[in-house]
């Protein structure tokens, strides 16, 4: 494993890391990127099943929406870096907000 | 918050709350104008691909909130019609219901042509696979020979979602007589025994997709683009929603205009 690969490996959660190790033993011909995708898919599956297949974490979803919307907005020359930075600040605030009910998060955002 | 008589969509409300009075009127006009145009002037286009019986209609009904949508696409057809569904406030959802190839290699060229015409205009391409499939052979062939090359050529790989439907039926398919392998309809959850069966089955399918280089390589799709769910039981639709949000350049438009308002109302459809 290269240093970067090792870093990616240690960033995996416990279930995914276990899947990575299992994949490495069962599929010695697979490379790091194949083992990573195997680990992530298995990790996501285990998490979803353990959490009972509920709706996604709204905080995480809001972050994703804002991140994607920011990337889309960044293509317009009329929308400056200052605005994109404000969106980044909002993403950080949402991430650090304690609570995961959509109504609480909306109260937090909309004041 | 910027004064505005009415924001139609959640993303506009979010931007107003985040940017508030920190931007000039001109900047604010640019942002709102760009958002309004992007949402209203072009429908959100979704292509759904899958062989007969994979649950395309139930997926469209549960994931995209359509009301009693019925797939009427016959196997072997080479004409696909765009169906437009008004969602709200000028935002439209457009569906291309694509037929599966049904093991007919002779028709590959015709389908490839059809897919080449339609897929580049789509914001999200959902390829549905039956999670209890014994063999992914035909799906792997279609993905590898037709769908992925088109996606790679047209920079659409990020738009693709590989959706394994019907995880609720994995146990019954393995052993129809074992009641512990049936879906727990009261709690809308797999039983512990079924959970194990689902993990083993899906693990095998994932191994196959990696060996076939459909996932896990530089020019294949990523882990977040693979979702497992049951459209009939509205189970694990959250991962699907997230995959849509991250899809391509416009996936977030779906979630921030319609999907976000349904958080908590999608899954957990208990039948008691």
């Amino acid at each position: 494993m290269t240093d970067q690969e090792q870093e990616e490996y240690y960033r995996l959660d416990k279930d995914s890391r276990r899947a990575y190790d299992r994949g490495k033993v069962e599929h010695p011909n697979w490379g790091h990127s194949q083992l990573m995708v195997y680990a992530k898919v298995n990790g996501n599956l285990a998490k979803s099943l353990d959490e009972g297949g509920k709706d996604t974490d709204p905080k995480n979803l809001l972050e994703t929406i804002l991140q994607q919307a920011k990337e889309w907005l960044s293509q317009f020359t009329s929308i400056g870096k200052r605005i994109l930075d404000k969106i980044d600040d909002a993403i950080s605030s949402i991430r650090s907000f304690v609570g995961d009910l959509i109504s609480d998060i909306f109260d937090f955002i909309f004041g | 918050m910027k004064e505005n008589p009415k924001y139609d969509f959640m993303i506009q409300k979010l931007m107003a709350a985040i940017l508030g009075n920190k931007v000039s009127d001109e900047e604010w006009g640019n942002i709102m104008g760009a958002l309004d145009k992007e949402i209203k002037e072009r429908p959100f286009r979704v292509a759904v691909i899958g062989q007969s019986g994979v649950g395309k209609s139930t997926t469209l009904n549960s994931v995209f909130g359509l009301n009693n949508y019925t797939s009427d696409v016959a196997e072997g057809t080479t004409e696909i019609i765009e169906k437009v569904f008004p969602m709200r406030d000028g935002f439209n959802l457009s569906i291309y219901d694509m037929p599966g190839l049904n093991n007919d290699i002779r028709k590959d060229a015709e389908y490839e042509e059809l897919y080449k015409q339609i897929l580049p205009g789509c914001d999200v391409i959902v390829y549905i696979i039956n999670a209890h499939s014994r063999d992914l052979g035909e799906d792997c062939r279609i993905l590898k020979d037709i769908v992925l090359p088109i996606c790679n050529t047209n920079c659409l790989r990020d738009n693709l979602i590989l959706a394994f439907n019907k995880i609720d039926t994995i146990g019954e398919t393995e052993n129809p007589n074992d009641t512990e392998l049936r879906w727990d309809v009261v709690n809308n959850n797999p039983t512990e025994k079924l959970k194990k069966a689902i993990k083993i089955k899906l693990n095998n399918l994932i191994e196959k997709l990696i060996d076939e280089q459909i996932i896990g390589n530089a020019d294949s799709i990523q882990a977040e683009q693979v979702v497992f769910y049951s459209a009939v039981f509205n189970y694990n639709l959250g991962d699907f929603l997230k995959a849509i949000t991250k899809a391509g350049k416009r996936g977030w438009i779906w979630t921030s205009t319609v999907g976000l308002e349904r958080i908590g109302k999608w899954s957990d459809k208990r039948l008691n």
Side-chain angles (χ1 to χ4, degrees), chain A residues 56-72 87 90-92 94-95, chain B residues 11 14-15 224 238-253 255-256 260:
Chain A
T56 193
D57 167 16
K59 206 161 70 172
N60 186 270
L61 188 64
L62 268 174
E63 280 175 46
T64 311
I65 289 171
L66 287 172
Q67 189 62 44
Q68 299 292 102
K70 191 198 90 174
E71 276 173 35
W72 174 79
I87 300 174
I91 293 170
S92 302
I94 292 169
R95 196 174 293 146
Chain B
I11 187 68
L14 277 172
M15 287 299 168
E224 296 79 11
D239 280 354
F240 211 134
L241 185 60
K242 200 172 169 198
I244 294 169
T245 312
K246 290 187 113 175
K249 289 188 169 68
R250 297 181 85 238
W252 59 275
I253 289 177
T255 329
S256 64
L260 192 65

Side-chain angles (χ1 to χ4, degrees), chain B residues 36-47:
Chain B
D36 209 54
K37 196 173 165 193
E38 192 68 17
I39 294 170
K40 290 181 180 170
E41 288 190 7
R42 202 183 127 190
F44 188 77
R45 290 201 172 94
V46 178

Side-chain angles (χ1 to χ4, degrees), chain A residues 22 26-27 30 33-34 37-38 40-42 45-46 48-49 52-56 58 60-62 64-66 68-69 72-73 76 78-79 82-83 86-87 90 102 106 109-110, chain B residues 10 13-14 17-19 22-23 27 30-31 34-35 38 189 195 199 202-203 206-207 210-211 216-217 223 228 235-236 238-239 241-242 245-246 252 255-256 263-267:
Chain A
R22 193 179 61 235
E26 290 174 5
H27 304 275
W30 284 357
S33 66
Q34 290 164 312
V37 85
Y38 178 75
K40 284 181 187 171
V41 173
N42 270 289
L45 173 66
S48 300
L49 288 171
K54 300 285 192 302
D55 276 347
T56 193
N60 186 270
L61 188 64
L62 268 174
T64 311
I65 289 171
L66 287 172
Q68 299 292 102
W72 174 79
L73 280 170
F76 299 101
S78 57
I79 293 167
R82 194 172 56 88
I83 291 173
K86 297 266 176 246
I87 300 174
I102 191 78
F106 280 179
I109 296 169
F110 298 117
Chain B
M10 180 57 70
K13 291 175 193 164
L14 277 172
I18 290 165
L19 300 171
K22 295 166 194 154
V23 295
E27 286 172 319
N30 287 337
I31 295 166
L35 279 171
E38 192 68 17
N189 247 322
K195 264 188 202 174
K199 282 183 185 174
L202 293 178
N203 187 53
I206 294 307
E207 285 176 344
I210 293 174
D211 284 335
N217 276 19
F228 310 99
Y235 186 85
N236 207 29
D239 280 354
L241 185 60
K242 200 172 169 198
T245 312
K246 290 187 113 175
W252 59 275
T255 329
S256 64
I263 283 185
K265 297 170 191 166
W266 281 25
S267 301

